[in-house]
């Protein structure tokens, strides 16, 4: 089955920039998507199509893509950004989707 | 406003059968793919599969093929996830979620989740 790889954890101080990477073989051909999940809540998409931001998502969230890696960047991190972040994409056929293992963002 | 409303928490015994539901509001249910996502306690999100209610075309993750059944009844705007024989390892939160559109491969809308606990 299709796999996406993320670091298990990232830690930053408030006001710094957090970068979370996600790698997968199909990412040169498929968009990457990012979800934020806070404890006890359903996931919320924060980036779609590699770099697009849904309405209501703060501008400090941005996305980029290069080869087999997509990156979620959170600029000027706030305490409220502490959460689990999951990348997601599909295989080259679009039939099978997958989530990355998730990255716990800790705001020190 | 698009809403997905899932059925309530379930407590079952190993070997029991179970069918949980997800009802869509505020959009054309038959015309949007609905998927299911598992989250085991303290673990990450897992894509289980997806169904197009308009014609019941269904795709399963290889990890879940044969373990669960995904179905939908477009007449009542409801999708289902069912088990014929639960195991303790099926204990998890299960989310339904709606694909944004056919040109993208992500879930734009999520249900509130259904907690399934399987214990003897």
């Amino acid at each position: 089955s299709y796999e996406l790889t993320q670091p298990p954890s990232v830690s930053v101080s408030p006001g710094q920039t957090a970068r979370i990477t996600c790698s997968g073989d199909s990412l040169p051909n498929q968009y990457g998507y990012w979800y934020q999940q806070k404890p006890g809540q359903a996931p919320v998409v924060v980036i779609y199509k590699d770099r697009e931001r849904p309405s209501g998502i703060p501008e400090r969230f941005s996305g980029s893509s290069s080869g087999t890696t997509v990156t979620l960047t959170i600029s000027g991190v706030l305490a409220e950004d502490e959460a689990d972040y999951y990348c997601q994409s599909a295989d080259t056929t679009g039939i099978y989707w997958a989530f990355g293992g998730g990255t716990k963002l800790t705001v020190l | 406003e698009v809403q997905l409303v899932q059925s309530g928490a379930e407590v079952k015994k190993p070997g029991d059968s179970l069918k949980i539901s997800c009802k869509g509001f505020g959009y054309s249910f038959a015309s949007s793919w609905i998927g299911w996502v598992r989250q085991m306690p303290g673990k990450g999100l897992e894509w289980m599969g997806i169904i197009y209610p308009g014609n019941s075309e269904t795709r399963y993750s290889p990890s879940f093929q044969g373990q669960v059944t995904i179905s939908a009844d477009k007449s009542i705007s409801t999708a289902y996830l069912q088990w014929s024989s639960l195991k303790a390892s099926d204990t998890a939160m299960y989310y339904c979620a709606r694909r944004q559109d056919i040109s993208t491969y992500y879930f734009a809308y999520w249900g509130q989740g259904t907690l399934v606990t399987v214990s003897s």
Side-chain angles (χ1 to χ4, degrees):
Chain A
S1 59
Y2 181 53
E3 292 187 1
L4 295 167
T5 303
Q6 301 178 231
S9 63
V10 168
S11 299
V12 295
S13 299
Q16 290 190 328
T17 296
R19 294 182 180 83
I20 302 172
T21 59
C22 171
S23 59
D25 289 342
S26 78
L27 290 176
N29 306 110
Q30 290 284 8
Y31 288 119
Y33 307 89
W34 290 95
Y35 301 86
Q36 176 193 69
Q37 187 183 34
K38 295 184 177 180
Q41 298 182 19
V44 173
V45 61
V46 293
I47 293 290
Y48 66 99
K49 287 187 175 180
D50 288 346
R51 63 185 69 247
E52 301 296 324
R53 196 174 51 250
S55 61
I57 300 302
E59 290 184 9
R60 63 181 181 274
F61 288 88
S62 64
S64 61
S65 175
S66 178
T68 59
T69 300
V70 291
T71 301
L72 173 68
T73 300
I74 310 172
S75 305
V77 166
L78 303 177
E80 67 195 50
D81 299 329
E82 187 164 282
D84 294 322
Y85 290 86
Y86 296 90
C87 65
Q88 183 249 302
S89 189
D91 71 349
T92 52
T93 69
I95 293 176
Y96 302 109
W97 302 14
F99 290 96
T103 299
K104 181 173 181 58
L105 175 66
T106 300
V107 182
L108 301 169
Chain B
E1 180 194 6
V2 174
Q3 275 193 296
L4 298 173
V5 179
Q6 298 185 230
S7 49
E10 302 274 2
V11 179
K12 293 290 188 179
K13 295 189 185 311
D16 285 351
S17 62
L18 176 64
K19 192 173 190 177
I20 62 175
S21 66
C22 169
K23 187 172 176 63
F25 296 89
Y27 72 99
S28 174
F29 183 82
S31 303
S32 295
W33 291 82
I34 287 275
W36 289 93
V37 176
R38 183 175 80 175
Q39 187 166 38
M40 299 176 74
K43 302 298 184 183
L45 305 175
E46 299 175 90
W47 185 80
M48 300 178 72
I50 198 165
I51 187 167
Y52 187 75
N55 61 7
S56 293
E57 180 181 349
T58 309
R59 300 164 180 173
Y60 292 93
S61 162
S63 299
F64 291 94
Q65 178 83 48
Q67 308 304 307
V68 297
T69 301
I70 294 171
S71 60
D73 184 341
K74 62 184 178 183
S75 70
I76 56 172
S77 301
T78 301
Y80 301 97
L81 178 65
Q82 71 179 94
W83 296 259
S84 59
S85 181
L86 286 161
K87 302 184 283 287
S89 57
D90 292 318
T91 294
M93 180 71 82
Y94 293 88
Y95 293 100
C96 67
R98 200 205 91 175
R99 181 179 181 180
Q100 170 66 358
D101 56 52
I102 61 170
S103 70
T104 59
Y105 298 94
Y106 78 105
F107 295 125
Y109 306 94
W110 292 68
Q112 82 276 20
T114 295
L115 181 62
V116 174
T117 303
V118 184
S119 174
S120 55

